[in-house]
Amino acid sequence: QVLSLPIVVIVHGNQDNNAKATVLWDNAFSEIDRVPFVVAERVPWEKMCDTLNLKFMAEVQTTKGLLKEHYFFLAQKIFNDHSAGPEDFQNRSVSWAQFNKEILPGRGFTFWQWFDGVLDLTKRCLKSYWSDRLIVGFISKQYVCKVLSAEPHGTFLLRFSDSEIGGVTIAHVIRGQDGSSQVENIQPFSAKDLSIRSLGDRIRDLAQLRNLYPDIPKDQAFGSHYNSERGRG
């Protein structure tokens, strides 16, 4: 006999997301000599970070994993705590409920549903952009405003949408003649949107986007991702 990986039987596609969460949690955190089907209800946040990183790299098929600043954003999201510093999360534990049962504040989905949507979008449409480190991705809208507000007009970065599952949005700074700045977030692009027109070409289309944060001209950053314009016009 041999132990298999966890298996979940589903009868409808709408159960797929929950099944993947169950398999991931069981595979990552169960003990080999456990009582059958018994898995810890809470696990250290650091172990969760390792699991999310391995899952992301395996699913997207990239060698570029999550960074410390990404873990900080994810911790703020799953614990709903925006006052703690990065080191404050190191000794915390995260529960199965926080991972895949509790709805995120002000949203209609769980942490895992949101993260799985990011995985699917990145795997299908953004792998090369992520692997080239052109997408910050895991960063809050509030922190984006703080980062971009002091930058020149047209500076932009890419982040995964907080409000939608499986969306990527472009945040950019608009600087007025009086020196005032305003950070705008473009409506998130879904996998369907990006299958119609790629992210690189959409960035090329948007004249208000000039430099990828901190100061890389957009044609230099995204030029290799532009498609030829044959057949247009």
Side-chain angles (χ1 to χ4, degrees), residues 47-60:
K47 287 188 70 174
M48 174 58 74
C49 288
D50 291 340
T51 298
L52 293 176
N53 183 47
L54 290 172
K55 178 65 174 176
F56 189 94
M57 293 174 68
E59 198 77 19
V60 177

Side-chain angles (χ1 to χ4, degrees), residues 99-119:
F99 179 67
N100 189 49
K101 290 295 182 185
E102 297 171 359
I103 300 299
L104 292 172
R107 307 301 180 201
F109 43 81
T110 66
F111 174 87
W112 167 251
Q113 287 173 323
W114 174 82
F115 189 83
D116 189 45
V118 168
L119 280 179

Side-chain angles (χ1 to χ4, degrees), residues 81-101:
D81 186 347
H82 298 275
S83 61
E87 64 284 346
D88 298 321
F89 294 115
Q90 290 179 356
N91 296 319
R92 291 198 191 182
S93 60
V94 61
S95 68
W96 165 253
Q98 289 170 313
F99 179 67
N100 189 49
K101 290 295 182 185

Side-chain angles (χ1 to χ4, degrees), residues 111-201:
F111 174 87
W112 167 251
Q113 287 173 323
W114 174 82
F115 189 83
D116 189 45
V118 168
L119 280 179
D120 185 64
L121 175 71
T122 309
K123 175 176 64 176
R124 291 168 61 185
C125 305
L126 304 175
K127 175 182 175 179
S128 59
Y129 302 92
W130 174 270
S131 297
D132 288 346
R133 290 297 191 201
L134 299 174
I135 298 176
V136 177
F138 300 103
I139 185 172
S140 68
K141 184 181 291 187
Q142 294 77 11
Y143 191 69
V144 166
C145 288
K146 180 180 177 182
V147 166
L148 290 184
S149 59
E151 295 299 320
H153 179 81
T155 304
F156 68 97
L157 56 75
L158 289 87
R159 52 179 286 271
F160 297 124
S161 173
D162 269 331
S163 58
E164 296 185 15
I165 294 177
V168 63
T169 188
I170 303 171
H172 64 101
V173 62
I174 300 171
R175 191 165 291 283
Q177 292 183 344
D178 60 355
S180 63
S181 66
Q182 177 182 346
V183 176
E184 288 200 353
N185 288 270
I186 294 172
Q187 178 71 23
F189 301 120
S190 66
K192 182 179 179 181
D193 296 326
L194 298 178
S195 68
I196 296 170
R197 188 155 180 80
S198 73
L199 180 63
D201 288 343

